[in-house]
Amino acid sequence: MISEYARWAQGGDRVHCPFCRHPDSRVVDSRTADDGAAIRRRRSCPNCGRRFTTQETVILMVAKRSGVTEPFTRDKIVRGVQRACQGRPVSEDKLAILAQQVEETIRARGLGEVPSHEVGLAILGPLRDLDEVAYLRFASVYRGFESLADFEDEITALRQGRRDAVTDSAVATDPASPGQH
């Protein structure tokens, strides 16, 4: 087996020109993209002289319970949440934003590989904020609800969270509340 360094030294990581397939190119300009999550490089082919752009991103891997790892994709998040949102007033745009929030949360941990369980946990918060019914559907499958009591406990927690949010906003807007001047 060839080491990573040996593969690189032999040109295994070279970028081929998309026009003439020449096995090398020269970087003309590099810039960060996607809020620093990627690097966009402008390249020039020494053979045909044409220019092209490449984008490099770190591949985030998800470790499944079976031990298999696969690349993280926003599409998989959207597809999983779409089932929970079926029949709910949730647009495709909102699902795309949710998937982006999940990816940002996971990437912020700074790990190259995350367990699938953590991906599920990262979905729960934004989904709860988006649609409580869809959240209950997703949570019931994700957390493996087995009884009506599991649903009742989760609904109670949702109601308590809503009450706390209403109380917090009332305190913040009440000029007579202590600590407000």
Side-chain angles (χ1 to χ4, degrees):
M1 183 168 163
I2 298 175
S3 73
E4 286 295 310
Y5 175 75
R7 198 174 107 236
W8 174 81
Q10 294 172 355
D13 289 339
R14 289 187 177 159
V15 176
H16 292 263
C17 173
F19 305 108
C20 71
R21 301 297 301 151
H22 186 70
D24 203 3
S25 61
R26 184 174 65 86
V27 175
V28 177
D29 184 38
S30 292
R31 297 180 186 201
T32 60
D34 295 335
D35 296 325
I39 298 173
R40 182 169 288 142
R41 297 191 194 279
R42 191 75 180 140
R43 296 176 176 270
S44 175
C45 175
N47 189 50
C48 69
R50 293 178 77 176
R51 290 185 173 203
F52 58 97
T53 302
T54 59
Q55 185 162 315
E56 300 173 18
T57 58
V58 175
I59 297 174
L60 178 63
M61 298 299 287
V62 177
K64 312 220 13 146
R65 281 180 266 187
S66 66
V68 173
T69 58
E70 62 183 39
F72 174 89
T73 62
R74 289 183 188 177
D75 290 341
K76 191 161 184 179
I77 300 297
V78 169
R79 283 193 312 271
V81 174
Q82 267 178 332
R83 284 184 291 240
C85 292
Q86 202 165 15
R88 302 294 304 154
V90 177
S91 69
E92 292 291 324
D93 289 343
K94 296 280 188 185
L95 291 177
I97 291 168
L98 180 137
Q100 181 179 354
Q101 289 172 324
V102 170
E103 182 176 5
E104 288 170 357
T105 299
I106 292 169
R107 285 193 184 277
R109 294 182 181 148
L111 303 172
E113 183 175 304
V114 294
S116 59
H117 177 75
E118 288 188 28
V119 176
L121 289 175
I123 291 170
L124 289 173
L127 184 55
R128 182 181 52 240
D129 295 340
L130 182 63
D131 187 278
E132 290 176 337
V133 173
Y135 166 80
L136 274 174
R137 290 173 178 171
F138 187 87
S140 70
V141 173
Y142 178 73
R143 292 186 175 155
F145 289 6
E146 294 183 3
S147 69
L148 190 56
D150 292 337
F151 281 94
E152 290 170 341
D153 291 344
E154 197 63 39
I155 290 169
T156 300
L158 276 171
R159 286 183 176 145
Q160 184 60 46
R162 206 181 310 136
R163 243 183 259 124
D164 291 346
V166 168
T167 303
D168 290 347
S169 70
V171 168
T173 57
D174 183 6
S177 64
Q180 300 285 322
H181 298 286

